[in-house]
Structure formats: C-alpha cells, structure tokens
Amino acid sequence: MPTNARSRMTDRDLAEIIELGHETQRVEFKGPGRRDDGHTMAVVTRAVLAMTNLRGGGVVVIGVAERADKSLEAVGVSLDIEATWTNFDAVCDQFGRYADPSVVFEIEVREYSGKRFVVINVQEFAEVPILCRQNYQSAADPARGRPAQVEVLRGGACYVRSKRKPESAVVRTSEDMRDLIGLAVEKAIARQATLDRIRLAAAAAPDPRAHYDAEQERM
C-alpha cells in the first residue's frame, strides 16, 4: 500500500487492506459519512492528524462501517457522499481549521467489490509534529450511538497512531513520544545538512564582482 500522500493507491491495494479485516497502524476505516456532517468530519480529521504524525504517513478509508460485533463491513459510499469529499479545497479548508501546521494529503476514489470508497492519503509532517488547533465536541445523538456529548478533538493535543493498538489518540506513552521526537529530530538534522551544503557551495563559488573586475582589467 502507499506509504505517503505522493503514492497512488490502486483498487488492488484497497482490496488488500479491506480484506485484511481490521485496521492497522497505517490504515483507519470510517463509515460512509458526509464531509458536511460535523461529527464525521471531526473523526476523520482526528485520523488525519494522527496519520501525519506517523513515519511514512497513512491512509483513511471512508466507506467501511463497523458492525455491532466490531467486525467491519465494506459498504462503500453513495455518489452524493463521495461528492462532499472530492471537493479538495473544501476538505483542505476544514482540515486547516484544526491542523497546526497544515497537513499534506491527497484524495482518491477507489473501487472494491463494485462499491466506491473515498481514500485520503496522508503524508508525514514536513518539519514539526502537527497539533490540533481547537476543540470539537459532538452533540449527543442516541440514534447514532452517542447518548451524551463526546469530545472528538482537543485543542493543543498531539494525535498519533500507537504501536500498541491501531487507533488515533492523544500521545500518552513514552514510546509514542520517543518515536515522534525521533522523526522530528531526523528531519531537523536533514534540513541542517542541506543548509550546510548550500553554504559550502556558496563559499566555493567565485565572487561575481571579482570576476567582473578581472574581466575589466583584461579589456
């Protein structure tokens, strides 16, 4: 499967992760909700924030529902629901309300067993881990299994995909924190190495003014 947002997922890739029958550290499934439904958008955003803090990034697949017994059902999405997610600018704006700094992602529509699924390929953060900008609480909705108000997003939180359990949650263990810090440090070292190479190249380059003066003297 793709390891970051620059990779393209194929229908075969999607089939493999759905037929696995459960989520993994790099894959999170969501039911067929609309982007303009506040709760759906919030839980997808939480997954995206966690995936961007994962080495190599990951994918969020919309259209896979959870049964009462916790097993998964690939129900797909309707064209109406699909249309709410394929408006890239609108999705980008909504992720931007909660991600600090911004996340990098791509949206694809793939097919499995004659059904369509929205796939969000999320790239790992570029420089520093991504934090959640603000809170989001979903209102109680007993018909959808929420008997009381639920906190979905917490302002200032750093969401990750834990090695212990495939879920998007606030970083809460030293292992998760070490992984996150380690990735950020690697990126900082790589940036510094690039800057050092640029400085060395600039220092070794001839002074254009000296070159001009030398040309003038030869004339």
Side-chain angles (χ1 to χ4, degrees), residues 23 42 44 57 108 141 152:
E23 295 181 331
V44 170
E108 303 176 76
D141 188 347
V152 182

Short mmCIF file of all heavy atoms in Angstrom, two decimals, residues 23 42 44 57 108 141 152:
data_model
loop_
_atom_site.label_atom_id
_atom_site.label_comp_id
_atom_site.label_asym_id
_atom_site.label_seq_id
_atom_site.Cartn_x
_atom_site.Cartn_y
_atom_site.Cartn_z
N GLU A 23 -8.16 -2.72 11.15
CA GLU A 23 -7.30 -1.58 10.95
C GLU A 23 -5.86 -1.93 11.31
O GLU A 23 -5.60 -2.90 12.02
CB GLU A 23 -7.77 -0.39 11.81
CG GLU A 23 -9.13 0.14 11.41
CD GLU A 23 -9.57 1.33 12.27
OE1 GLU A 23 -9.15 1.40 13.45
OE2 GLU A 23 -10.33 2.16 11.76
N ALA A 42 -15.08 15.57 12.07
CA ALA A 42 -14.18 15.62 13.23
C ALA A 42 -13.41 14.31 13.40
O ALA A 42 -12.20 14.33 13.67
CB ALA A 42 -14.96 15.96 14.48
N VAL A 44 -12.77 12.05 11.13
CA VAL A 44 -11.83 11.90 10.01
C VAL A 44 -10.62 12.81 10.23
O VAL A 44 -9.48 12.42 10.00
CB VAL A 44 -12.52 12.21 8.67
CG1 VAL A 44 -11.50 12.30 7.54
CG2 VAL A 44 -13.57 11.14 8.34
N GLY A 57 3.45 8.34 7.02
CA GLY A 57 2.05 8.70 6.84
C GLY A 57 1.16 7.47 6.80
O GLY A 57 1.55 6.37 7.21
N GLU A 108 -8.48 10.30 -3.17
CA GLU A 108 -8.77 9.45 -4.33
C GLU A 108 -10.09 8.74 -4.11
O GLU A 108 -10.54 8.57 -2.96
CB GLU A 108 -7.68 8.39 -4.49
CG GLU A 108 -6.28 8.91 -4.63
CD GLU A 108 -5.29 7.75 -4.70
OE1 GLU A 108 -5.20 7.11 -5.77
OE2 GLU A 108 -4.63 7.49 -3.68
N ASP A 141 -26.37 12.11 20.34
CA ASP A 141 -27.22 11.61 19.26
C ASP A 141 -27.45 10.12 19.51
O ASP A 141 -26.74 9.27 18.94
CB ASP A 141 -26.55 11.84 17.90
CG ASP A 141 -27.47 11.51 16.73
OD1 ASP A 141 -28.52 10.87 16.96
OD2 ASP A 141 -27.13 11.88 15.59
N VAL A 152 -14.33 14.96 20.53
CA VAL A 152 -13.66 14.28 19.41
C VAL A 152 -12.27 14.85 19.20
O VAL A 152 -11.30 14.11 18.97
CB VAL A 152 -14.49 14.39 18.12
CG1 VAL A 152 -13.81 13.63 16.98
CG2 VAL A 152 -15.89 13.86 18.33
#
